[in-house]
Amino acid sequence: MAINKQQVRTALTHVMHPQMEKDVVSLDMIEDLIVQDQFITFTIDLPEKDTKLEAQLKEECEEAIRKFVDKDAVLDINTAVNISKFRDQGEDGEPAFPGQGHRDKREQEDDEDEEVLSGVKNIIAVASGKGGVGKSTVAVNLACGLARTGAKVGLLDTDIYGPSIPTMMDAHGRPNITTKKKLIPKEKHGVRFLSMGMLVDPDQAMIWRGPMVTSAVKQFMNEVEWGELDYMVLDLPPGTGDIQLTLVQTVPLTGAVIVSTPQNVALDDARKGVAMFKKVNVPVLGMVENMAYFIPEDMPDKKYYIFGKHGVRNLAERMGTNFLGEIPLEQKVRESSDEGKPIVLGDLETVSAQKFVELSNNVIQQLAIRNKEQEPTEKIDIKIRP
Ligand SMILES: Nc1ncnc2c1ncn2[C@@H]1O[C@H](COP(=O)(O)OP(=O)(O)OP(=O)(O)O)[C@@H](O)[C@H]1O
Ligand SMILES: [Mg+2]
């Protein structure tokens, strides 16, 4: 039976604030409640940072939902400090909440965020500005190319609106769940992977908003048994809107790979992609020129520059960004994607397969340089009110 918001709110009236003798719903502490199939996400607003109270309320909210709503619900409960919301509630100038204003600043700064994907050494986002330029194709072949080197690799399709990875890796259906309620990634070609589309009804996904996507991504990060990974590749949805911006700030990305085709309409959007990552201080590892030239199957020595020549290579140079390689437009790339056998895994007889191997090696090299020269990326938890 589908869960509705009212059931969740009613369940949460059983959770009492320990000092206020009122429940969290009456105290107007619950915000951004979103219910989607078995996903339930909301934020508990607090007048100030208090790690102990946050942990206690989160636990009690979870218990209440499991008891009164659905014991198997997939939960993402966040906490946020919202000083202004509670400021005016107290009478006679007293703080509305006991303890409010009593913790000094250093104490608050000591509160650490929970770590996202702590067993993963490098998290790489594959992005583009424009849709359909080959992000998913590059993400899948990059992941499999990295796995060819013997590395432990994960791949997460964050495109809930048009997931491609289930087809490209030939694995459909819902993932299994461990006894501890963690999702088990699918595994194929030496890559552990999941697609958010495996758990979301595509019709429902159309109405998802930024905060829902973000909380679902967090869940796919934290509530999946990824294990130890050398590389995690994220396939992002097309564009540079709110969802992408929120996504790239939810995860401490090591770096981004921008995919584009060489024609101007795609390049304009690729430039926006690079700018988005720079704005949020995520290093851009470099750009990939996909569909750089067409190689006909019956004339493998020919190259036709259908979308223009060296457009991405030149843009990368102008923007002071690395050029990671060019992938030709070849029928076998598309066919292997549709069959769920990424081309990079074959015997490397096609130019594309060889180019994907080169691309993976260049990404490994750029990651090594980046990790030597720069500090790890910090996660910024921004809050969007729908
Ligand atoms: N180098 C290539 N040669 C041949 N076909 C390709 C190549 N790159 C991508 N394609 C094909 O083009 C189509 C679009 O590619 P893909 O799905 O990877 O793009 P995308 O950028 O992920 O799209 P979206 O923006 O919808 O997520 C697919 O059918 C794919 O097989
Ligand atoms: Mg895609």
Side-chain angles (χ1 to χ4, degrees):
M1 199 179 65
I3 304 172
N4 66 44
K5 280 189 181 184
Q6 194 48 48
Q7 286 172 294
V8 177
R9 285 197 167 275
T10 308
L12 294 177
T13 59
H14 295 272
V15 179
M16 302 298 284
H17 187 290
Q19 287 105 27
M20 296 293 287
E21 292 171 0
K22 272 190 189 172
D23 68 87
V24 292
V25 176
S26 316
L27 286 167
D28 192 23
M29 293 172 74
I30 306 300
E31 285 287 348
D32 301 342
L33 172 62
I34 294 163
V35 177
Q36 174 80 57
D37 300 333
Q38 275 192 309
F39 278 130
I40 300 173
T41 174
F42 56 87
T43 301
I44 309 170
D45 272 352
L46 294 152
E48 66 171 1
K49 186 96 183 129
D50 182 341
T51 317
K52 212 173 132 207
L53 179 62
E54 284 169 25
Q56 181 184 341
L57 290 177
K58 271 188 181 181
E59 197 183 312
E60 288 178 14
C61 287
E62 173 163 0
E63 267 172 27
I65 290 170
R66 300 219 181 279
K67 185 167 170 198
F68 298 108
V69 183
D70 181 347
K71 71 176 178 12
D72 296 321
V74 186
L75 297 173
D76 179 41
I77 306 175
N78 302 294
T79 51
V81 177
N82 192 336
I83 301 165
S84 55
K85 176 171 164 185
F86 297 106
R87 188 183 291 144
D88 304 327
Q89 289 192 0
E91 284 166 22
D92 307 327
E94 285 295 310
F97 278 68
Q100 188 175 350
H102 289 273
R103 301 171 82 243
D104 72 17
K105 200 156 177 267
R106 214 181 53 232
E107 207 179 335
Q108 292 178 28
E109 280 168 0
D110 283 346
D111 292 324
E112 293 255 308
D113 244 334
E114 61 188 297
E115 234 186 309
V116 185
L117 284 183
S118 50
V120 181
K121 294 198 183 105
N122 296 284
I123 312 175
I124 311 157
V126 177
S128 72
K130 196 173 178 302
V133 295
K135 271 178 309 305
S136 302
T137 308
V138 169
V140 165
N141 280 287
L142 173 61
C144 293
L146 292 169
R148 267 185 85 108
T149 68
K152 295 201 179 80
V153 183
L155 170 64
L156 175 61
D157 184 356
T158 64
D159 191 348
I160 50 162
Y161 304 105
S164 316
I165 303 258
T167 302
M168 291 184 177
M169 295 293 274
D170 190 23
H172 301 266
R174 289 185 171 237
N176 292 325
I177 296 178
T178 65
T179 45
K180 288 184 184 157
K181 298 235 163 61
K182 283 209 162 191
L183 296 171
I184 304 169
K186 308 249 172 192
E187 189 156 359
K188 231 175 184 179
H189 315 307
V191 175
R192 290 175 214 160
F193 64 97
L194 272 185
S195 171
M196 295 188 21
M198 286 170 173
L199 285 185
V200 179
D201 175 351
D203 295 333
Q204 296 280 331
M206 295 314 287
I207 54 160
W208 278 38
R209 289 172 304 221
M212 280 173 94
V213 178
T214 312
S215 74
V217 168
K218 270 201 240 166
Q219 218 146 12
F220 274 82
M221 294 290 163
N222 293 323
E223 294 179 21
V224 176
E225 290 270 348
W226 290 109
E228 301 279 313
L229 294 178
D230 298 300
Y231 307 100
M232 160 74 92
V233 179
L234 299 187
D235 181 14
L236 293 198
T240 46
D242 270 357
I243 286 188
Q244 287 77 10
L245 194 62
T246 316
L247 263 175
V248 302
Q249 295 180 97
T250 305
V251 182
L253 290 173
T254 316
V257 169
I258 311 286
V259 182
S260 182
T261 51
Q263 83 261 43
N264 285 337
V265 279
L267 294 174
D268 286 344
D269 290 350
R271 198 181 293 121
K272 284 185 208 152
V274 173
M276 174 179 83
F277 285 105
K278 290 202 167 152
K279 190 166 131 195
V280 296
N281 295 324
V282 172
V284 174
L285 299 170
M287 302 179 91
V288 180
E289 182 156 327
N290 189 31
M291 311 190 192
Y293 46 84
F294 170 61
I295 304 180
E297 233 181 341
D298 50 352
M299 290 183 288
D301 299 326
K302 290 255 187 223
K303 284 182 180 179
Y304 293 94
Y305 290 88
I306 297 176
F307 298 120
K309 197 170 178 178
H310 296 165
V312 181
R313 185 190 291 266
N314 293 339
L315 176 65
E317 198 178 298
R318 281 205 302 282
M319 296 190 77
T321 306
N322 299 307
F323 184 64
L324 296 170
E326 50 186 28
I327 313 292
L329 178 62
E330 276 195 282
Q331 190 168 329
K332 285 219 169 73
V333 174
R334 202 270 307 148
E335 284 171 355
S336 61
S337 282
D338 287 351
E339 285 167 17
K341 297 190 190 86
I343 197 156
V344 75
L345 293 167
D347 45 17
L348 307 188
E349 62 186 14
T350 58
V351 179
S352 305
Q354 294 155 18
K355 294 289 185 182
F356 275 124
V357 170
E358 274 175 39
L359 169 69
S360 310
N361 291 337
N362 286 340
V363 169
I364 293 173
Q365 195 180 12
Q366 289 307 323
L367 280 169
I369 296 172
R370 177 252 179 268
N371 288 337
K372 198 158 164 242
E373 292 180 350
Q374 296 180 55
E375 291 295 312
T377 308
E378 280 187 28
K379 181 179 75 118
I380 318 161
D381 229 343
I382 53 167
K383 203 158 140 46
I384 295 183
R385 293 230 181 265

